[in-house]
Amino acid sequence: MGAVREGLPDGRYGRSADQRADRKLKIVGAVLGVALLGVVGWSGFSYISGQELSGRVITWDRVSDSAVKVHLEVVKGKDDTGTCTLRSQADSGAEVGRKDVTVDAPKEQVDVEVTIRTTARATNAVLVGCTSSGG
């Protein structure tokens, strides 16, 4: 009885069509993966670099049924200016007070205390957001 060969001799007839297709798929997958990483990285960088002002409410205190005192901290470029909007809400969730705070001090971190006048008893004070007005 003779030995029966299962496949073609190695290296004699070149690569099979399946091997060529697998290699092409690997190359296409690698190129698409690198492109996706590039897009995600670029998007993240442009988002972060586009935020010139960032703020947060450090503390807030209801000083009366018609006023809330807010301690706001804003981090920005030294020469950047902008406006931060604060909002106060009642227990029901309805907005009872809003105030725009101009931030133009020539420092990188600005701490400011602001009083928001309210139309009813407030249960919170939140930062809506900060926008740059140029530098």
Side-chain angles (χ1 to χ4, degrees):
M1 293 200 92
V4 178
R5 271 205 146 149
E6 293 292 323
L8 299 173
D10 291 335
R12 186 165 183 181
Y13 298 105
R15 291 186 173 164
S16 71
D18 287 343
Q19 288 175 327
R20 283 191 296 272
D22 285 348
R23 184 165 187 232
K24 286 180 183 177
L25 284 175
K26 287 178 185 177
I27 291 171
V28 168
V31 168
L32 290 176
V34 168
L36 179 64
L37 283 174
V39 167
V40 169
W42 177 77
S43 298
F45 176 76
S46 65
Y47 176 75
I48 290 171
S49 66
Q51 292 183 334
E52 296 173 8
L53 273 83
S54 68
R56 66 183 182 142
V57 172
I58 302 297
T59 60
W60 69 273
D61 184 33
R62 181 178 43 239
V63 292
S64 70
D65 285 346
S66 61
V68 175
K69 191 174 194 177
V70 180
H71 178 189
L72 176 67
E73 176 187 82
V74 180
V75 178
K76 63 182 190 63
K78 187 174 182 180
D79 297 324
D80 292 342
T81 61
T83 304
C84 292
T85 303
L86 296 166
R87 173 176 70 184
S88 188
Q89 295 173 302
D91 219 7
S92 65
E95 183 175 292
V96 294
R98 179 177 282 257
K99 184 164 189 157
D100 290 332
V101 180
T102 302
V103 182
D104 57 2
K107 298 189 295 187
E108 291 183 359
Q109 180 176 333
V110 178
D111 287 299
V112 62
E113 287 194 358
V114 183
T115 300
I116 303 173
R117 299 285 174 208
T118 60
T119 58
R121 185 176 174 88
T123 58
N124 71 6
V126 295
L127 176 66
V128 175
C130 294
T131 57
S132 176
S133 60

